Amino acid sequence: MNSFSVRVAVAAEAIRGIFPETPLQENDYLSKKTGARVLLKREDLTPVRSYKIRGAFNFFRKALGAGNNAELFVCASAGNHAQGFAFVCRHFGKRGIVFMPVTTPQQKIDKTRLFGGDFVEIRLVGDFFDDCYRAAFEFTESAGAHMVPPFDHKDIIEGQATVAYEIAAQMPGGRMPDIVMLPVGGGGLAAGVTHYFADQHRDPRFVFCEPAGAPSLRESLASGKRVKLAKVDNFVDGAAVAEIGREPLRHLKDFSADAVRLVPENRLCATMIEMLNVEGVVLEPAGALAIDALKDFSRKEIRGKTIVAVVSGGNFDFERLPDVKERALRFEGLKK
């Protein structure tokens, strides 16, 4: 029996070789505020401060296990996937090239370089991610290298599903959460987590949290097919994806569009500031999506329920803080 759950359990065991499970922490502040019991799955506490290291690690592990001896691995990413990829290249001693848009913040370039050490080279190409991705793809073809996609691959999804494996083991008293809140960009995390729980015959209510300016899952579920958005607001850089992954959508297609909450960018900024001031937790915009979406529930709807919100990342560039503060004030009506 080689079920999805079994493969995810094997992946989770292998991942223990590079970092311990991330904590599932009850948050008194959010629990009191919402009337529910809120637990945060702290993916901002991995070595690269996001869950992306899981999918990258699993992709490499399986490629190398299957006898793939490509000399060179490639990825295109402006952020968390690049950092996870770089960390894993160094771990396996494989050479990697990271293609990043010219507009990538210096902090992300430096961190990627730090994680990859001598194994990783960074190439800055194009103003937008799509141009950068195209350049990476063309290079991969011409150099006979191996492309490591950010979300649209079964091994990436299986790696991200280790988040669900850990949640199931960490739930107090072995009970399952009533609601699981998942941030969505390309859909790899959401696909992995929902598939794992379905395979275990556990069915919490899933709430998918997308930026209002990049609703690619919502639009695709509403129209019954994969939709590419004509334009996206890049503010939530970790989740501003114009087209949900093909493979992730295969796992998510039976959900209703109503299961997706669209998070307004300015309100998200208020949540980031609140979590920083009250809890001392640094979140990037995508990392705050699931926490912010709690604001859409009435107290009556979730009173006494157990909610797990996945905090997907904490790679926040403090150069952006003035902008985030200003947007938060605008949301609160304190600034025109």
Side-chain angles (χ1 to χ4, degrees):
M1 172 186 141
N2 189 12
S3 73
F4 185 71
S5 309
V6 173
R7 294 198 302 275
V8 172
V10 171
E13 280 309 301
I15 283 174
R16 291 296 78 88
I18 54 170
F19 68 96
E21 58 181 28
T22 57
L24 181 68
Q25 297 172 340
E26 188 157 349
N27 188 281
D28 291 339
Y29 171 70
L30 293 170
S31 297
K32 198 165 171 207
K33 199 174 153 188
T34 57
R37 182 185 193 191
V38 179
L39 301 160
L40 301 180
K41 180 61 171 159
R42 297 287 305 274
E43 290 300 294
D44 56 315
L45 297 178
T46 74
V48 299
R49 301 198 53 171
S50 91
Y51 69 92
K52 290 285 192 177
I53 188 171
R54 297 174 182 271
F57 175 85
N58 196 54
F59 186 95
F60 271 80
R61 176 182 77 85
K62 296 195 89 164
L64 300 174
N68 181 329
N69 34 22
E71 285 306 302
L72 190 59
F73 289 81
V74 174
C75 89
S77 167
N80 292 343
H81 177 56
Q83 295 180 36
F85 170 88
F87 190 101
V88 172
C89 281
R90 195 181 74 198
H91 172 77
F92 284 112
K94 290 288 174 187
R95 281 183 55 234
I97 296 183
V98 178
F99 283 78
M100 289 180 153
V102 176
T103 50
T104 306
Q106 191 59 41
Q107 175 249 7
K108 289 192 170 170
I109 297 169
D110 293 343
K111 291 288 287 212
T112 304
R113 200 168 273 133
L114 179 75
F115 290 131
D118 296 337
F119 290 97
V120 167
E121 176 195 330
I122 293 169
R123 297 190 184 176
L124 301 176
V125 181
D127 286 334
F128 297 102
F129 178 72
D130 288 349
D131 308 335
C132 167
Y133 184 77
R134 199 173 309 113
F137 190 77
E138 284 164 6
F139 172 81
T140 304
E141 297 277 275
S142 66
H146 201 64
M147 183 78 146
V148 183
F151 47 79
D152 208 351
H153 192 282
K154 64 180 179 29
D155 294 338
I156 298 283
I157 291 171
E158 187 181 290
Q160 316 308 26
T162 59
V163 170
Y165 173 85
E166 289 175 21
I167 290 170
Q170 291 170 314
M171 280 301 294
R175 285 189 51 221
M176 283 311 290
D178 298 301
I179 302 172
V180 178
M181 318 271 294
L182 296 166
V184 177
L189 176 69
V193 170
T194 54
H195 190 179
Y196 180 80
F197 282 130
D199 210 46
Q200 291 276 306
H201 305 294
R202 309 239 174 116
D203 53 350
R205 175 184 169 191
F206 292 104
V207 176
F208 305 107
C209 313
E210 278 190 305
S216 64
L217 175 61
R218 172 84 170 254
E219 293 295 314
S220 298
L221 293 177
S223 58
K225 63 177 195 300
R226 196 157 159 251
V227 168
K228 184 165 188 176
L229 304 173
K231 68 179 208 315
V232 297
D233 179 339
N234 276 326
F235 178 76
V236 187
D237 50 330
V241 173
E243 190 172 27
I244 193 91
R246 180 174 275 112
E247 187 65 20
L249 188 61
R250 217 168 56 74
H251 294 290
L252 299 170
K253 67 181 189 311
D254 294 332
F255 286 95
S256 147
D258 295 340
V260 183
R261 299 288 166 115
L262 298 185
V263 171
E265 280 77 2
N266 287 2
R267 190 182 78 179
L268 184 66
C269 290
T271 297
M272 289 168 68
I273 297 291
E274 181 184 8
M275 289 303 289
L276 184 59
N277 287 341
V278 179
E279 296 292 276
V281 174
V282 176
L283 299 176
E284 63 186 270
L289 282 169
I291 295 174
D292 184 83
L294 289 168
K295 293 174 178 171
D296 288 333
F297 291 111
S298 69
R299 278 183 87 83
K300 195 168 126 220
E301 194 183 351
I302 56 173
R303 186 177 293 123
K305 297 244 193 298
T306 300
I307 300 178
V308 169
V310 177
V311 177
S312 58
N315 283 308
F316 180 63
D317 186 348
F318 274 85
E319 300 285 316
R320 296 178 72 182
L321 191 58
D323 181 33
V324 169
K325 274 179 152 163
E326 179 152 332
R327 294 181 77 140
L329 290 171
R330 249 182 275 157
F331 166 71
E332 284 155 358
L334 299 173
K335 192 157 188 176
K336 289 279 184 286

